């Protein structure tokens, strides 16, 4: 529009130049506001571009993580398949009609002639208690050691520490005394575990003796070779008093029991007749044997250890 200049009243100093100057000042102020708004718009545009760039980076990172997750899942599935092939074995039927493979199941003694057994026995209450106490001892040891050792190190003179180079003897007393107490408790737990292992080995002896008294050794020479003359006696278990003797006996029995399990799984029949030769601890061809050792009879099975 046009700038309308009112007529000057008498006694005033209003002039055209005054109006022009005011209008120019107003335009300059509006220009300044416009520049501010333009800078704000430009800054908002740059901020939007940065946000879009950040969103694109986040999308790329999400895609990368999804790809890594897919790769990890595929690798885990492949590992499980390989592990299954390794642990399960052949899926083809064996000579007796069963499958020669290990199966994780809670079902035992089901099927004919197939045999199922538990691969991983759940821990007992005693085993869980021992595990929890060992974890508590480890955490207590770490916390106690770190705390006391930090106090001792801090008491050193600079630059090794920030103290006067002296520490009370009680710090070392607490350190060594706590260590001795934990070592003593570890020894008690070890003795407890050894007692539990002895109880399990006692069960092995009882199971092997039941097999000795059954009709299975009469019909299966491989089982007969594995159970007679191998030292599955209460006497051998009681004589293994030292740690090394007990560990050696456990290792030997563990290998033999693994072979017994494998042989039992390959039996053509699923049932074993028990109590055919009560008290038999040695094998004699054509005879039942007895509870007393019979020297080298029966091909030396009674005498072999």
């Amino acid at each position: 529009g046009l700038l309308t200049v009112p007529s000057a009243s008498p006694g005033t100093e209003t002039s055209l130049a005054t109006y022009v100057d005011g209008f120019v000042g107003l335009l300059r102020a509006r220009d300044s506001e416009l520049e501010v708004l333009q800078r704000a718009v430009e800054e908002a545009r740059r901020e939007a571009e940065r946000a879009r760039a950040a969103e694109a980076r986040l999308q790329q990172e999400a895609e990368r993580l999804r790809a890594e997750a897919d790769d990890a899942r595929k690798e885990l599935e492949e590992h499980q398949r390989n592990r299954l092939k390794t642990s399960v074995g052949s899926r083809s039927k064996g000579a007796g009609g069963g499958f020669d493979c290990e199966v994780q199941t809670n079902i035992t003694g089901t099927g004919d002639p197939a045999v199922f057994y538990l691969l991983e026995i759940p821990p007992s209450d005693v085993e869980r208690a021992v595990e929890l106490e060992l974890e508590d001892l480890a955490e207590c040891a770490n916390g106690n050691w770190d705390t006391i050792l930090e106090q001792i190190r801090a008491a050193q003179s600079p630059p090794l520490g920030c103290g006067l180079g002296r520490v009370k003897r009680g710090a070392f007393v607490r350190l060594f005394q706590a260590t001795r107490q934990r070592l003593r408790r570890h020894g008690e737990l070890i003795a407890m575990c050894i007692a539990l292992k002895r109880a399990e080995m006692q069960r092995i002896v009882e199971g092997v003796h039941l097999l000795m008294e059954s009709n299975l050794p009469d019909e299966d020479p491989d089982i007969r070779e594995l159970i007679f003359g191998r030292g599955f006696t209460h006497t051998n278990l009681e004589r293994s008093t030292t740690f090394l003797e007990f560990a050696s006996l456990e290792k030997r029995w563990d290998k033999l029991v693994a072979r017994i399990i494998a042989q039992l799984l390959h039996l053509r029949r699923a049932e074993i007749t028990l109590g055919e030769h009560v008290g038999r601890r040695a094998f004699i061809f054509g005879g039942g044997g007895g509870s007393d050792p019979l020297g080298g009879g029966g091909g030396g099975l009674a005498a072999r250890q």
Side-chain angles (χ1 to χ4, degrees):
L2 298 175
L3 181 62
T4 303
V5 181
S7 58
S9 306
T12 65
E13 298 180 355
T14 304
S15 64
L16 181 59
T18 302
Y19 281 99
V20 171
D21 293 339
F23 188 74
V24 170
L26 180 61
L27 291 178
R28 289 176 178 174
R30 294 299 175 85
D31 290 340
S32 300
E33 294 178 358
L34 183 59
E35 291 177 358
V36 172
L37 290 176
Q38 289 177 346
R39 287 195 296 269
V41 170
E42 187 66 25
E43 182 65 25
R45 185 181 298 109
R46 288 195 294 268
E47 185 67 24
E49 292 177 355
R50 286 194 293 268
R52 285 193 294 269
E55 182 181 2
R57 288 194 298 271
L58 290 176
Q59 289 179 352
Q60 293 176 357
E61 184 68 16
E63 293 177 357
R64 185 182 65 81
L65 292 177
R66 281 194 294 268
E68 290 181 357
D70 293 339
D71 294 340
R73 183 171 59 253
K74 292 178 181 178
E75 184 177 354
L76 178 60
E77 292 175 354
E78 183 66 22
H79 175 71
Q80 291 176 346
R81 284 194 296 268
N82 294 334
R83 183 179 179 184
L84 189 63
K85 293 178 182 178
T86 303
S87 61
V88 170
S90 176
R91 291 284 185 174
S92 59
K93 286 188 177 181
F99 291 92
D100 298 334
C101 60
E102 297 180 349
V103 180
Q104 178 64 54
T105 175
N106 289 325
I107 304 173
T108 58
T110 301
D112 186 15
V115 178
F116 298 89
Y117 63 98
L118 194 64
L119 291 180
E120 297 180 0
I121 305 298
S124 63
D125 295 337
V126 177
E127 293 172 345
R128 282 194 293 266
V130 171
E131 181 180 2
L132 290 176
E133 184 165 359
L134 287 175
E135 292 177 356
D136 293 340
L137 284 173
E139 293 178 0
C140 179
N142 293 333
N144 177 268
W145 173 265
D146 293 341
T147 302
I148 299 178
L149 194 62
E150 188 65 26
Q151 294 176 358
I152 296 175
R153 287 176 175 173
Q156 298 180 101
S157 301
L160 299 177
C162 57
L164 301 177
R166 296 188 298 272
V167 66
K168 295 183 177 180
R169 59 184 179 182
F172 288 99
V173 173
R174 292 195 305 273
L175 179 67
F176 296 138
Q177 188 64 23
T179 303
R180 290 182 64 248
Q181 292 175 357
R182 287 191 297 271
L183 286 174
R184 189 178 299 112
R185 183 53 184 165
H186 285 154
E188 295 173 355
L189 292 175
I190 291 174
M192 184 187 305
C193 293
I194 291 178
L196 292 174
K197 296 178 76 171
R198 283 186 177 275
E200 296 297 334
M201 295 179 70
Q202 185 76 20
R203 296 184 178 96
I204 290 177
V205 173
E206 295 174 0
V208 171
H209 286 178
L210 289 174
L211 283 179
M212 289 180 178
E213 297 173 358
S214 70
N215 70 333
L216 185 59
D218 302 333
E219 303 175 359
D220 194 321
D222 294 327
I223 286 290
R224 182 168 65 241
E225 183 76 13
L226 289 173
I227 62 177
F228 286 106
R230 295 290 187 172
F232 287 108
T233 64
H234 299 290
T235 304
N236 282 339
L237 185 58
E238 293 173 357
R239 287 177 178 174
S240 302
T241 56
T242 65
F243 180 80
L244 293 179
E245 291 175 349
F246 182 74
S248 176
L249 183 67
E250 177 192 358
K251 183 178 180 181
R252 182 158 57 89
W253 281 14
D254 181 71
K255 292 182 178 179
L256 290 172
V257 170
R259 294 171 60 187
I260 293 173
I261 292 172
Q263 188 62 30
L264 289 174
L265 286 175
H266 286 81
L267 290 179
R268 292 182 177 273
R269 54 190 179 87
E271 294 183 352
I272 300 173
T273 303
L274 301 175
E276 286 286 324
H277 309 281
V278 178
R280 178 169 70 175
R281 298 296 179 265
F283 185 82
I284 300 178
F285 290 97
S291 58
D292 296 329
L294 299 179
L301 290 177
R304 185 183 61 223
Q305 294 293 329

